[in-house]
Amino acid sequence: MSLLYPRLLADQAKPLFDEYRELSIAELAKRVDVSHPSAVYVATGGDRVRPEQLWALRESVVELARQGGFPDASDRARNAEFDVRLAELLHSQMSLVPAEAASRDLWAFLALVLLPDVALWRYPKPPRDRALGTDLTRHVFGRLWWRAQLIFSPADPKPYEALGILGEAAFDQIYARRAALGGSPHLVKAILRVWNELDLRGLNRRETLQDFLKRLLRLAPFVLFDAIDEKALDTELRSAARESVSELLRSKHGDSEESATAVEEQLATVFAKLRSPESPSSPASPPWPASTAVSGIEPHHASVAASTATEPSTDRAEEFTSFEICAGSGAQALGLEQAGFNPVLLLDTKAHACWTIELNRPQWKVLCGDLLHFDPLDHPEVKGVGLFSGGMPRIKSAAAVKRPDDELERAVLRQAVDLVPQIRPKAVLLENLPDLVEKDDFQAERTWMETELQRAGYRVFWKVLDAADFGVPQHRRSGFLVALQETYAEGFVWPSRTVLRVPTVADALGPSMAQGGWPGAKQWARRAARPAPALVGGSERRGGADLGPTGSKRAWAQLGVNGNSLGDDVPDADFPLLEPPRLTVAQTAILQAIPSAWQISGGKTAAYRQIGNALPPPVAHALGTAIATALAG
């Protein structure tokens, strides 16, 4: 039986957090409760947790905390032990399903109403994400439930044993920083099993793990990890771990003959536990086991073809770098990252867009500047990247160009094409209106683009794709140009749809429409039981944040949505039963399949423009996987 927990919404949680942050543990203990006047429940999905169950949960957590020094003392070792034991307790006793556990408001209730003294004992004067759940990978309680969820092995005598293998920082690398890996419990368990086998004395564990995960991330476009059985997956991961350790040891010891001997000896020590019939007899000569590859297919709905996957060579690693122009909110780069492309540079002219990328991926290099003034000689890192990509400004046909802005957008597109022979990427991906691909009015534009790219040695492919075919809850058609150097062109195949059923607006937004207690949520969901029209309204030529021109607003009205502007909050219990609600910025991001953890910089209008102009990450992921497969031969 799944339980529904109270949710403390952001407008109530933030002032409570600001107040509690300055209180002592004794004062916080006096504020403990199992309810709050502003707490809400979702409408459906399970039974509401009873007050006595909340008290019992609190007592169990407090008892664990006392063993760790609560309320007076603590230290790093006891904190680590407390976290491991608390993760098991929360996961085993709360009876949560993942959809419920994904609510940051639920965890805000636990941290600020039920357990504020424990929360602020574990993290005194914490940053907001530790209490409010703005990033669940950092929430004092939420992060532990999700860690347990990923490693939980119900068939094992000790189903939570893997919790103690990695500390928080190391686990965060897998879960928070490597979304393409951390989303698979099957893979996470295998990573922990293999990591636990290694003897890394004398090596920097953090550097080793980082390199290991990067290698797995490069394999992700070609290996469907979830389709490999446990033994084969462990063998695949051991091979990647061996390459990581070998590389780090060579960097440490150098390339001399004596150094090579030292490397071999230390490799034998590191992998001493791995001598088994399925493991290599010589650490220096890892076999590359057969793996399972998939291109553009959702594993739950399609058969999977077997192929041989190998660790990318040093030369091949260049094929998985990228340079993105007109990067916007980073949604396209996020999807390409999930496909294995690591950007060496992202460029956009809007400050808020640059800040959004830096906010979410501080390790990425972002250049806030005008593409028309970009000189690749000033940025040698972009030379020869695997992929040159961009979501280009929407152009009008030559016959329709009337304003200076129209000509400026065409100049940006020309500059992008002109950069290709200067940068010499292995592949090009440019996104624009479907009309650029389909309409006769754009034949001249298609001709000059193809001519320039073919002259530079690329084969050009055109296609219109609908985001709905890739699990995005809206019919959003985009035109794409993909160009590859002739060496790789034969291997390119456009991605096929990844879902059998397109998610509806009700699927995507139903939980958020109900979370404020709106009595009309169920009736609204019945009306919104189909995919959305394309989310538009991000143009700077128009007014503020709304859902586009008259035709778009009319389509949204049929779904029970007021498209005249965006709202600040989801409907609450006092919202009129039959009045069409407005979408919030966060809800428009959901419709674009942008992860909730991806923070958007700027006020309502600036944020919505970034979201409205975005290429949904699942579409970029599918395209990136198809391109990466071609580059891999």
Side-chain angles (χ1 to χ4, degrees):
M1 178 191 68
S2 62
L3 292 178
L4 300 177
Y5 282 74
R7 302 184 180 197
L8 189 64
L9 302 184
D11 59 345
Q12 296 295 326
K14 289 176 182 176
L16 208 58
F17 168 79
D18 292 337
E19 177 189 356
Y20 282 12
R21 200 166 179 266
E22 304 303 322
L23 299 183
S24 67
I25 300 299
E27 290 171 320
L28 290 168
K30 297 177 182 177
R31 307 292 184 94
V32 169
D33 207 337
V34 294
S35 63
H36 188 276
S38 300
V40 300
Y41 289 85
V42 294
T44 60
D47 297 327
R48 291 189 180 187
V49 64
R50 300 190 305 274
E52 58 267 28
Q53 291 174 303
L54 289 172
W55 281 121
L57 176 63
R58 173 175 166 78
E59 289 172 2
S60 298
V61 173
V62 169
E63 177 57 33
L64 275 186
R66 287 198 182 104
Q67 296 172 27
F70 174 85
D72 301 315
S74 184
D75 57 50
R76 184 181 295 245
R78 285 196 287 182
N79 282 345
E81 176 65 16
F82 170 72
D83 284 352
V84 170
R85 299 181 65 189
L86 181 58
E88 179 177 350
L89 185 151
L90 294 174
H91 191 265
S92 61
Q93 292 192 18
M94 288 185 69
S95 298
L96 282 175
V97 295
E100 180 77 355
S103 167
R104 66 183 187 182
D105 301 325
L106 179 157
W107 298 109
F109 177 88
L110 258 66
L112 295 172
V113 179
L114 185 66
L115 293 158
D117 47 351
V118 177
L120 277 77
W121 162 77
R122 177 64 182 85
Y123 289 102
K125 294 188 180 298
R128 287 190 170 191
D129 53 6
R130 291 293 191 190
L132 299 182
T134 50
D135 180 352
L136 284 183
T137 68
R138 287 176 50 79
H139 189 274
V140 59
F141 302 128
R143 80 192 203 286
L144 299 178
W145 189 96
W146 279 103
R147 190 185 304 184
Q149 169 72 6
L150 284 173
I151 62 86
F152 180 56
S153 299
D156 292 346
K158 297 180 178 180
Y160 297 98
E161 188 173 26
L163 281 169
I165 294 175
L166 292 178
E168 178 176 359
F171 198 94
D172 183 61
Q173 288 190 57
I174 298 174
Y175 178 48
R177 309 301 177 209
R178 298 286 184 264
L181 308 179
S184 165
H186 180 58
L187 177 58
V188 170
K189 292 169 190 173
I191 291 172
L192 296 178
R193 282 195 304 269
V194 170
W195 188 256
N196 199 38
E197 293 174 335
L198 306 181
D199 182 351
L200 295 174
R201 286 175 292 182
L203 286 173
N204 185 308
R205 295 177 66 87
R206 182 179 180 84
E207 289 183 5
T208 307
L209 181 62
Q210 287 176 335
D211 189 87
F212 176 42
L213 296 179
K214 286 178 182 177
R215 292 175 187 275
L216 296 184
L217 202 61
R218 290 200 296 266
L219 280 175
F222 318 109
V223 181
L224 188 61
F225 293 113
D226 279 343
I228 307 175
D229 65 46
E230 185 176 299
K231 182 180 292 186
L233 181 57
D234 285 2
T235 306
E236 184 82 64
L237 267 57
R238 286 169 184 152
S239 298
R242 183 176 280 90
E243 283 296 296
S244 293
V245 173
S246 299
E247 183 65 30
L248 292 171
L249 288 176
R250 282 193 289 269
S251 299
K252 177 180 177 182
H253 292 287
D255 295 323
S256 67
E257 190 170 323
E258 292 181 358
S259 297
T261 302
V263 168
E264 294 291 334
E265 291 174 352
Q266 194 164 353
L267 273 172
T269 301
V270 171
F271 293 97
K273 296 181 184 178
L274 303 189
R275 301 299 180 83
S276 63
E278 67 271 12
S279 299
S281 57
S282 169
S285 305
W288 304 117
S291 304
T292 307
V294 66
S295 175
I297 300 174
E298 187 180 51
H300 298 297
H301 303 311
S303 60
V304 179
S307 68
T308 300
T310 65
E311 169 70 82
S313 67
T314 302
D315 290 337
R316 183 171 291 171
E318 287 186 2
E319 297 169 8
F320 300 99
T321 57
S322 64
F323 168 40
E324 183 158 318
I325 60 175
C326 306
S329 66
Q332 177 169 304
L334 173 62
L336 293 174
E337 178 194 43
Q338 293 165 350
F341 286 96
N342 180 41
V344 297
L345 183 66
L346 300 102
L347 183 147
D348 199 276
T349 187
K350 301 294 187 297
H352 276 300
C354 297
W355 293 339
T356 291
I357 296 170
E358 291 173 346
L359 189 64
N360 294 281
R361 288 292 186 272
Q363 71 272 29
W364 288 355
K365 182 178 178 182
V366 181
L367 175 63
C368 209
D370 190 339
L371 178 65
L372 296 178
H373 299 144
F374 178 82
D375 188 344
L377 294 178
D378 297 329
H379 300 276
E381 66 271 25
V382 307
K383 184 74 172 178
V385 292
L387 177 63
F388 173 48
S389 62
M392 308 307 297
R394 274 41 184 161
I395 66 168
K396 293 190 175 182
S397 67
V401 171
K402 297 178 181 178
R403 296 179 297 185
D405 281 350
D406 295 324
E407 186 52 45
L408 177 62
E409 290 161 352
R410 296 167 64 79
V412 170
L413 184 59
R414 282 196 295 269
Q415 171 73 348
V417 175
D418 289 343
L419 282 173
V420 172
Q422 301 177 57
I423 294 172
R424 296 298 300 164
K426 294 177 175 63
V428 179
L429 169 63
L430 300 179
E431 180 260 351
N432 211 286
L433 290 172
D435 288 358
L436 181 61
V437 177
E438 297 177 326
K439 295 294 181 66
D440 290 340
D441 289 349
F442 289 88
Q443 183 60 53
E445 285 78 5
R446 290 195 296 272
T447 299
W448 68 254
M449 293 172 76
E450 283 194 26
T451 300
E452 292 300 314
L453 291 169
Q454 289 170 354
R455 185 179 294 128
Y458 292 81
R459 193 185 304 180
V460 178
F461 304 83
W462 298 92
K463 185 81 169 179
V464 172
L465 298 176
D466 187 344
D469 291 337
F470 302 92
V472 180
Q474 58 170 312
H475 284 296
R476 184 184 189 88
R477 298 175 75 249
S478 298
F480 295 95
L481 175 151
V482 169
L484 295 102
Q485 292 181 10
E486 282 292 341
T487 305
Y488 308 104
E490 286 296 333
F492 178 71
V493 178
W494 288 103
S496 344
R497 64 180 302 161
T498 61
V499 295
L500 295 179
R501 174 185 174 273
V502 178
T504 68
V505 176
D507 294 331
L509 302 185
S512 59
M513 286 297 187
Q515 73 181 31
W518 180 34
K522 285 186 178 179
Q523 185 171 344
W524 174 86
R526 288 193 290 270
R527 186 174 180 181
R530 60 180 184 272
L535 195 69
V536 296
S539 172
E540 292 191 353
R541 294 182 180 179
R542 303 182 64 255
D546 59 41
L547 297 185
T550 302
S552 295
K553 291 173 183 174
R554 190 179 299 118
W556 281 105
Q558 293 175 358
L559 291 166
V561 172
N562 179 352
N564 292 323
S565 63
L566 296 186
D568 295 321
D569 297 296
V570 295
D572 59 19
D574 297 325
F575 193 82
L577 185 66
L578 300 178
E579 182 174 324
R582 296 176 296 167
L583 301 184
T584 65
V585 170
Q587 287 177 317
T588 65
I590 293 172
L591 292 173
Q592 287 282 59
I594 297 173
S596 60
W598 197 261
Q599 303 173 67
I600 308 293
S601 172
K604 186 189 296 184
T605 299
Y608 178 65
R609 282 175 178 162
Q610 294 173 65
I611 293 168
N613 286 324
L615 176 68
V619 183
H621 184 189
L623 284 162
T625 300
I627 293 169
T629 302
L631 297 185

